[in-house]
Amino acid sequence: MTTTGRKELQHPRFARQYLKVAAESDRRGGATHRDRLLAGLTGRVLEVGAGQGRNFGHYPDTVTEVVALEPEDTLRTMAEQAAASAPVRVTVVAGEAAELPGKTGEFDAAVASLVLCSVADVRRALTEIARVLRRGGELRFYEHVRSPNRWAGRLEDAITPLWSRAAGGCHPNRDTEAAIRAAGFTITDIDRFGFSPSAFLPKTLHIVGTAVRP
């Protein structure tokens, strides 16, 4: 296994567990959410935080290339294996959301799938995504977000410090929709729904949608 990611972004114990959770999540409906996330994409796509490559099999053939960024070594190794059998061309690279590969306006679309909860600086990540997108380019997002329910939201706030340390930097109390809007994107489509990725986890609020770089 090639190890090129920064040390602080390596979570091998969590990554091994996440491989199992992500597979279970897809069986429970996550695969359908991925289909919705990627439907209609065209051209060159940058996927930020590709994990083990669970999205790769869901890209439509109208996509000419996917550049899949993953900083965690264990997950990236699995993504490289998944890329070999993907229906579209996928290039897996090491890197992080705060410093995206690519020139300004290079990509037609960007995909953030269950990743903006875990980046250290979500504002910087979204600024970088906006930079590499062409004008009018799309950001497709699929994320779990803070509950609007008063008590559920407070509970998510309370557990975030411990949860983040145990779950590879995941923040269950992120208001990612607000962060996308604050970064200057225009959200053109969004669906909010409760979803549990595992039988052992409660339903939390998830969003799937599209935002456009003005």
Side-chain angles (χ1 to χ4, degrees):
M1 181 177 67
T2 302
T3 56
T4 57
R6 290 198 291 120
K7 182 178 179 180
E8 59 267 34
L9 297 176
Q10 304 310 308
H11 307 281
R13 182 178 298 178
F14 168 74
R16 289 191 293 270
Q17 185 62 32
Y18 185 70
L19 294 174
K20 301 174 184 177
V21 172
E24 181 183 0
S25 175
D26 279 2
R27 289 193 296 269
R28 293 170 60 88
T32 299
H33 302 154
R34 296 180 193 278
D35 282 336
R36 295 168 57 198
L37 171 72
L38 304 175
L41 282 177
T42 61
R44 297 189 71 229
V45 178
L46 175 66
E47 183 170 342
V48 181
Q52 69 268 52
R54 300 294 302 189
N55 281 334
F56 295 170
H58 298 267
Y59 278 100
D61 59 11
T62 46
V63 169
T64 56
E65 181 187 16
V66 177
V67 177
L69 187 76
E70 177 50 52
E72 211 287 324
D73 293 335
T74 300
L75 295 176
R76 191 174 62 258
T77 296
M78 299 302 295
E80 289 168 348
Q81 296 176 17
S85 59
V88 299
R89 179 185 174 192
V90 178
T91 303
V92 179
V93 298
E96 57 184 296
E99 298 179 11
L100 295 178
K103 300 176 182 179
T104 299
E106 182 175 343
F107 291 96
D108 298 297
V111 172
S113 175
L114 303 173
V115 66
L116 294 177
C117 63
S118 62
V119 297
D121 187 339
V122 68
R123 181 177 180 180
R124 182 172 176 180
L126 287 166
T127 298
E128 272 290 276
I129 289 172
R131 178 185 66 80
V132 300
L133 281 177
R134 64 170 174 79
R135 182 174 297 180
E138 292 184 342
L139 166 61
R140 298 289 186 93
F141 54 90
Y142 167 34
E143 300 285 344
H144 67 91
V145 297
R146 189 182 191 277
S147 173
N149 178 276
R150 179 182 179 185
W151 296 110
R154 286 184 175 181
L155 177 60
E156 290 167 348
D157 292 340
I159 68 172
T160 288
L162 180 60
W163 183 269
S164 181
R165 287 194 293 271
C170 173
H171 293 69
N173 65 341
R174 282 237 168 114
D175 188 348
T176 303
E177 179 183 345
I180 291 170
R181 295 184 191 277
F185 287 92
T186 299
I187 293 179
T188 57
D189 179 69
I190 187 167
D191 183 27
R192 305 172 184 88
F193 55 95
F195 177 65
S196 172
S198 168
F200 300 102
L201 295 173
K203 281 187 178 182
T204 56
L205 181 63
H206 284 61
I207 56 175
V208 171
T210 301
V212 175
R213 177 188 180 275

